[in-house]
Amino acid sequence: MTFGTSVWGSCVQGGVATLACIPVVLQNIINFLILFGGVVCVFLIVFSGYKYITSEGDPEKVSSARKTIFYAIGGFLLVLGSFLLLNIIATFTGVTRLSPK
């Protein structure tokens, strides 16, 4: 079975993944987590907008909505910062397989 061998490169031998596939798996996990973080951030921003609109001027609800949007954007910046740090480390060490394609 040769499904996906062009994506996995030479790490698949005879249809079985080898230890050389670890960087490819890590790359896929990192790409998924960044995408998931972006989706969660967008969801939380929309949710906090909904909370802000339905707060009816209540100071506690407005404060809660502002905190939600602040933490959503802060969390997404943390995800992007970790991605940047990973790419900087990969550049200095010469590891190119963890960079997104």
Side-chain angles (χ1 to χ4, degrees), residues 1-100:
M1 183 174 183
T2 60
F3 177 76
T5 55
S6 63
V7 175
W8 291 86
S10 64
C11 70
V12 176
Q13 295 176 355
V16 178
T18 62
L19 288 177
C21 291
I22 291 176
V24 176
V25 171
L26 288 176
Q27 176 182 345
N28 290 336
I29 290 172
I30 290 167
N31 290 342
F32 171 76
L33 290 176
I34 291 171
L35 178 68
F36 182 73
V39 169
V40 169
C41 177
V42 168
F43 173 75
L44 285 175
I45 289 173
V46 169
F47 177 68
S48 65
Y50 175 76
K51 283 174 53 174
Y52 190 77
I53 290 172
T54 59
S55 67
E56 299 175 353
D58 184 15
E60 283 186 25
K61 291 181 180 180
V62 170
S63 174
S64 173
R66 286 184 181 164
K67 285 181 184 177
T68 302
I69 196 166
F70 176 75
Y71 291 135
I73 292 172
F76 188 65
L77 289 176
L78 183 67
V79 168
L80 287 179
S82 65
F83 178 69
L84 177 66
L85 181 64
L86 181 67
N87 280 330
I88 289 172
I89 291 171
T91 301
F92 284 125
T93 59
V95 177
T96 59
R97 302 234 22 208
L98 292 178
S99 303

